[in-house]
Amino acid sequence: MIDLRSDTVTRPTPAMRAAMAAAEVGDDGYGDDPSVNALERKAADMLGKEAALLLPTGTMGNITAVFAQTGRGDEVLVESTAHIYRTEQGGMASLAGVPYRVLPGVRGAVPFERLQSEIAGSGYSTRLHPALLCLETTHNAAGGTVLPLDYLAAVRALATEHGIAVHIDGARVFNAAIALGVPVAEIAQHADTITFCLSKGLGAPVGSVLCGPEAVIRRARQTRKMLGGTMRQSGVLAAAGLVALDTMVGRLADDHRRANHLAAGLQAIHPSLCETPETNIVYVDLAPSSLSAPEWCQRLGTAGITCKPYSATQVRLLTHADISDADIEAALAAFQSIWPAKQSRAA
Ligand code: TLP
């Protein structure tokens, strides 16, 4: 099966499996797993931050960042389709106890002027204090869009001026860096804290890393313990993460090229099926067809393509390390073969 559901479906590479088998380990609860320590150091250095913390998931990384940078009476500002708001089970409110102000975005970015007026309006004594602004790049629900560097710089300056910390959910920040053609630290410099996932396009089996200032990461380490995320010989996971950072970043460009080719092929079938992606995520809007998204997924499944409905009419497709050029051709052929059948049914 050609699995386009997500880049989380990637399997560890042979080099990762070998590194996992050979990993030097210790009890990370005591801070003495050398592989975890090496991964945290490497991640912090790559992102240009003082310190880093390995966590089991991106969700735990994000909620840990919220815990570490907010308190009672604070609120979080977040874009309305952000993963942390829409897809992380309301953890900011139910676990961290922090209310959030949800702001509409365009391609994943809250317009700067809107942010400015929202923050200015917070100055009244009856309002909550916005302590944290959460950004997301690449932005999943917006179609893997990349926040521009000048936008990040302006937003960070605004936030800093008002004593607001910035957290980037950078689950796919390496995709963003590749798309922008800059080292990832150029993105991360515009945030106080940033999480990235080893387990998505980078292909590692498990793990996300939260990077930030020493003092925040110290707090985050306590929060991770509270959430049950302190692991023990997690060096077996960190070893794969190190291989991911060493070998899997540059190749993300292939995923972007393939997503682009996939989108072009779909647009050739029907021009309004999808937008041209900036990175590795393609949302296909099948409204012009007479089949629903679940029906499409069922038929594509029969043709060897695994995907999931995103809404009644949309399917989300992701390219990743286990998807080849031939797989993209096969996916396009499957779409093409289902399309006329559907049209004739409509007629
Ligand atoms: N995204 C997953 C799941 O939502 C299914 C996916 O397939 O895209 N931030 C962003 C932007 C994400 O896309 C995800 C996961 C997370 C955070 C959470 O990461 P995990 O799954 O490790 O908790």
Side-chain angles (χ1 to χ4, degrees), residues 79-80 103-119 135 147 151 154-155 158:
E79 190 272 332
S80 63
L103 306 172
V106 179
R107 295 180 68 75
V110 179
F112 181 76
E113 297 69 28
R114 174 69 189 262
L115 214 43
Q116 231 173 0
S117 70
E118 291 286 339
I119 291 173
L135 306 175
L147 294 179
Y151 172 81
V155 166
L158 175 70

Side-chain angles (χ1 to χ4, degrees), residues 5-8 56-60 62 83-84 87-88 136 138-140 169-172 195 197 199-200 207-208 281 308 316 318:
R5 283 173 300 174
S6 181
D7 47 10
T8 59
T57 62
T59 301
M60 196 185 282
N62 284 336
H83 195 278
I84 191 170
T87 322
E88 298 184 12
E136 182 177 319
T138 67
H139 194 292
N140 186 344
D169 174 356
R172 297 185 179 84
T195 42
C197 294
S199 56
K200 299 196 165 62
S208 292
I281 304 180
K308 262 180 58 181
R316 189 189 70 151
L318 277 83

Side-chain angles (χ1 to χ4, degrees), residues 141-154:
T145 50
V146 179
L147 294 179
L149 289 173
D150 55 354
Y151 172 81
L152 288 174

